[in-house]
Amino acid sequence: MTWADQSGTLLLALIVILAPGALAAITVRLRGFTALAAAAPLSLAMLAAAGLVNVLLPFRWGVAGWAVSAVLLVGVAFGVRVLIERLRSTGRIPIPEPPQRETLHGIIPFAVIVVVAVLSAMRLMSAIGSPSNISQTFDNIYHLNAVRQILDGGLIAPTRQMLPGFYPDLWHILVSTVAQLSGAGVAASVSVVSVVLGAVVWPISCVWLVRTIAGGHVGATVTAGALSIGMAAFPLLMLDFGVLYPNVLSIAILPSAIAATVLVAGIGRGDRPDAIVRWILLIALVPSVALAHPSTLMAFFLPAFLIGFTGFTLWWRRESAAGRPSASRWWSLVALAGAFIISVVVFVVARPNTVLAFWPPSATMQDALMQIVSGGLVWRPPSWIVSALAALGILTVLIARTWRRQWWLVMSTATIIAVYLICISFPMSWFRYGVTGTWYQDIYRIAALLPTFIVPLGALGVVGLVAVVSRVLRTDSRTSVAWVPTAAGAAAGLLTLAVTQTGPALAEETSNTAVMYAQEQWSPLLTDDERALIERLPDTVPEDDVIVGNPWTGTALSYALADRRALVPHIFQELSPDMIVITERLDRAGEDPEVCAALERTGTRWVLDFGTAEIHNGDHSYPGLADVGDVVRLADSEGEARLYEIVACP
């Protein structure tokens, strides 16, 4: 299978992720790049809302459900537009200035996105290899099977997934929707969605954040695009490590959530939609981030509060200067304090227990500081140009009065760096868990958050650099400098793009990711033989039959890749009494009637044997599957991989 074969799936993924939101954005009269930037957040919010509705109404999700949701989204947008127009007609909200004709500066962000999307897509496709490849990692067993469960059962509620309780499943809803619309398999749909999130959604999100902060500054826009695809820490690292697909989605829209917060607070320089639209964007993005992965929502709380505090302070001063009544100001202060308290409580409570947050420290403080200074997080090669631009951005915010409102960006970056340093170098303790437990005390998840803040810092670094260059040239009255800011900014951004794309950091991380997706005879989760046997299962195993095997060896992927149910569908499956009987006593099926009864109740008719080699070099005993002997007969094989039919029970 080639990427050209999946061009239709790629197009449909773009439609699912962008089209409903873009229609809604245009309906509320968003224009230009802002409409494009709002597209993915609104489309994803639509999917998240459908999942929450599915908690109360157990409808079957599919093409029809997606289409109805899209129509409802556009209908809500139309209602918002009518409301805004009525408020304008009564003078309760101001009438905006007529939109200006699109200029070269307005076209630049679109051109930047096209260039970086193509470059990033090529890199991601190269890293994944064939779109049919899967990440040969621990977490992927659950993620792929969870997508298949949605395809089979049609339930997208976060309370009705494979793990008990509430599980954030926005990524799984997204992938299953793409699979349903395109007809592509689970593996190909996952690969295509990964490319779209990393090469399209993430750069748009970053460029929107920078333009919200810095306005239409050409250098900032071009640099934002270059940096968004120029760091190893995201998106490649999250596709390599874990694999952490939900983090890929949540982090891809994190800059958009921060941009919406800046818009609501009124401390940026970019386009400012109507206040109602700004609030809708923020309200849409926050639950979307949470339902993609809650740990990213925890990372959002800090900049959101700092931005909100800055906007509130400016608003308080304006209200005081205008002599307006103070009651609303004090109630707003109470609301802000309440939001802060709620955020702290959620940060403390909403975290995995210490058994799951088990990652130990892995470097000295000196080594960790060197990683931060050089830009070589988690032992990747240094990226000095990224570090230099971020440092210039910090200086720009601290020195230039024009940018002092963006102090939250410096504080947020410093906080994430501090969390990273504590996680990577502090000994295991209650303090380390208290600070980093939200991210499983895992430096990879924390490292992936830093680009969200480094991108706008680096862009502001170019803004500061261009300002200095322009000021120096203006000292010579014989020099015409009208073109200098645009040319210098574009040159700095293009240089950043060239250096990062050809540097060792991205090259090494691309290679690391390619290793994790390589389908080979010695792949750690599924070897060539095991994958080939799984793909033949539909020819041998009836559709309603269930297969038992050790999930740690990859047998559970019979469900995702061949649509043949696995008795134990993922590694963290809580075993039912029947599962326990089968996995512990299947070898005694001929003499133990309880085994045959359990097989009958579960529909288990087959055994998939991939040997004893487990992912992560695990060693998990399923004694009933170790020596099935006369209980089964060989039905199919590929190399050392075996499929047996259970024949001991009549």
Side-chain angles (χ1 to χ4, degrees):
M1 182 186 295
T2 67
W3 288 100
D5 298 331
Q6 294 300 319
S7 57
T9 307
L10 181 62
L11 176 60
L12 282 167
L14 288 168
I15 290 173
V16 169
I17 294 173
L18 297 178
L23 288 174
I26 293 171
T27 300
V28 295
R29 298 192 185 279
L30 290 178
R31 294 294 182 264
F33 187 75
T34 305
L36 175 63
L42 291 174
S43 295
L44 293 169
M46 179 193 82
L47 297 180
L52 293 176
V53 170
N54 199 218
V55 174
L56 301 175
L57 300 176
F59 59 85
R60 184 179 181 86
W61 182 253
V63 176
W66 176 78
V68 169
S69 298
V71 171
L72 289 174
L73 174 66
V74 176
V76 170
F78 181 76
V80 171
R81 173 178 166 178
V82 171
L83 174 63
I84 291 173
E85 290 176 350
R86 287 185 177 179
L87 291 174
R88 284 176 181 166
S89 65
T90 59
R92 299 180 66 179
I93 61 175
I95 299 175
E97 297 179 2
Q100 294 182 349
R101 188 176 179 180
E102 201 69 273
T103 64
L104 176 62
H105 282 201
I107 297 172
I108 284 176
F110 292 96
V112 168
I113 293 301
V114 170
V115 171
V116 301
V118 170
L119 291 175
S120 183
M122 291 172 60
R123 184 177 295 278
L124 291 170
M125 289 176 180
S126 173
I128 294 171
S130 168
S132 63
N133 287 354
I134 65 170
S135 173
Q136 300 277 340
T137 49
F138 175 90
D139 298 71
N140 208 24
I141 300 173
Y142 175 83
H143 292 315
L144 296 185
N145 281 347
V147 171
R148 174 62 68 186
Q149 184 185 53
I150 292 177
L151 291 173
D152 282 355
L155 294 177
I156 57 174
T159 55
R160 294 186 174 93
Q161 300 308 302
M162 294 178 69
L163 288 173
F166 185 95
Y167 185 83
D169 64 335
L170 181 56
W171 179 86
H172 306 88
I173 299 173
L174 172 60
V175 175
S176 66
T177 304
V178 171
Q180 287 172 322
L181 265 67
S182 67
V186 172
S189 298
V190 169
S191 297
V192 166
V193 168
S194 297
V195 170
V196 173
L197 291 177
V200 179
V201 176
W202 164 248
I204 291 174
S205 190
C206 289
V207 172
W208 188 31
L209 174 57
V210 168
R211 288 178 66 83
T212 301
I213 294 171
H217 193 286
V218 173
T221 299
V222 177
T223 303
L227 288 176
S228 71
I229 65 167
M231 287 179 275
F234 192 83
L236 277 171
L237 184 63
M238 291 292 92
L239 294 174
D240 167 19
F241 177 80
V243 61
L244 302 177
Y245 288 128
N247 293 73
V248 174
L249 174 56
S250 61
I251 297 174
I253 59 176
L254 176 59
S256 291
I258 298 174
T261 310
V262 172
L263 286 175
V264 167
I267 63 170
R269 291 189 165 195
D271 294 336
R272 294 188 65 193
D274 288 293
I276 295 174
V277 175
R278 298 199 298 269
W279 276 103
I280 287 175
L281 289 172
L282 180 59
I283 293 170
L285 274 157
V286 171
S288 297
V289 172
L291 287 173
H293 204 285
S295 67
T296 306
L297 180 65
M298 303 301 111
F300 166 75
F301 282 159
L302 175 66
F305 176 76
L306 296 177
I307 293 166
F309 179 77
T310 302
F312 174 81
T313 302
L314 295 172
W315 173 78
W316 182 289
R317 291 175 180 173
R318 289 195 302 268
E319 293 292 295
S320 298
R324 295 190 178 97
S326 61
S328 61
R329 299 201 301 273
W330 287 107
W331 279 115
S332 299
L333 180 61
V334 170
L336 185 65
F340 175 74
I341 293 171
I342 292 172
S343 300
V344 172
V345 170
V346 172
F347 178 80
V348 172
V349 174
R351 61 178 58 206
N353 59 42
T354 53
V355 175
L356 295 175
F358 58 83
W359 294 92
S362 50
T364 65
M365 178 61 76
Q366 181 179 357
D367 289 340
L369 287 170
M370 191 60 192
Q371 290 182 21
I372 295 295
V373 171
S374 67
L377 301 176
V378 287
W379 301 280
R380 271 38 177 189
S383 184
W384 292 104
I385 189 170
V386 174
S387 297
L389 288 176
L392 284 174
I394 293 172
L395 289 175
T396 300
V397 173
L398 296 179
I399 295 174
R401 180 175 298 178
T402 306
W403 301 107
R404 285 182 185 171
R405 288 185 182 180
Q406 313 309 327
W407 66 279
W408 62 268
L409 182 56
V410 176
M411 289 296 297
S412 299
T413 307
T415 302
I416 297 297
I417 289 174
V419 172
Y420 181 86
L421 294 174
I422 291 169
C423 188
I424 197 172
S425 64
F426 276 41
M428 297 289 280
S429 63
W430 65 268
F431 175 75
R432 182 175 183 268
Y433 172 72
V435 174
T436 69
T438 295
W439 300 280
Y440 295 81
Q441 302 195 83
D442 174 15
I443 58 170
Y444 290 87
R445 299 170 198 258
I446 298 169
L449 294 170
L450 268 170
T452 296
F453 304 97
I454 297 300
V455 169
L457 270 182
L460 288 181
V462 168
V463 171
L465 184 63
V466 167
V468 171
V469 171
S470 299
R471 183 172 299 176
V472 169
L473 290 179
R474 283 193 177 97
T475 60
D476 183 356
S477 59
R478 295 169 298 175
T479 304
S480 175
V481 295
W483 53 271
V484 168
T486 297
L494 292 174
L495 177 63
T496 302
L497 181 66
V499 172
T500 54
Q501 291 300 304
T502 58
L506 277 183
E508 181 174 305
E509 187 52 42
T510 303
S511 177
N512 291 344
T513 306
V515 169
M516 300 311 298
Y517 283 82
Q519 181 62 65
E520 299 174 339
Q521 189 53 39
W522 306 111
S523 297
L525 183 56
L526 284 183
T527 66
D528 283 342
D529 290 342
E530 293 165 353
R531 181 73 181 267
L533 183 57
I534 280 181
E535 291 178 348
R536 289 204 301 268
L537 288 177
D539 299 330
T540 308
V541 179
E543 186 175 355
D544 294 332
D545 284 5
V546 176
I547 301 171
V548 64
N550 180 353
W552 289 81
T553 64
T555 60
L557 287 174
S558 64
Y559 188 38
L561 302 179
D563 198 13
R564 293 300 181 265
R565 287 176 53 211
L567 179 68
V568 187
H570 60 90
I571 287 171
F572 289 119
Q573 174 69 49
E574 183 177 342
L575 298 184
S576 68
D578 282 342
M579 291 178 183
I580 293 173
V581 168
I582 294 170
T583 56
E584 292 188 356
R585 291 150 52 189
L586 178 62
D587 56 341
R588 289 182 275 166
E591 57 193 55
D592 188 342
E594 287 189 23
V595 177
C596 288
L599 292 171
E600 181 65 26
R601 284 190 294 268
T602 59
T604 305
R605 304 282 187 271
W606 307 83
V607 177
L608 201 54
D609 182 5
F610 287 171
T612 58
E614 298 183 3
I615 191 70
H616 286 189
N617 297 314
D619 183 15
H620 298 82
S621 175
Y622 291 85
L625 308 180
D627 186 11
V628 287
D630 295 335
V631 171
V632 300
R633 71 169 180 83
L634 182 65
D636 196 4
S637 65
E638 185 77 25
E640 297 299 318
R642 300 283 188 269
L643 172 68
Y644 297 101
E645 182 181 9
I646 300 172
V647 296
C649 300

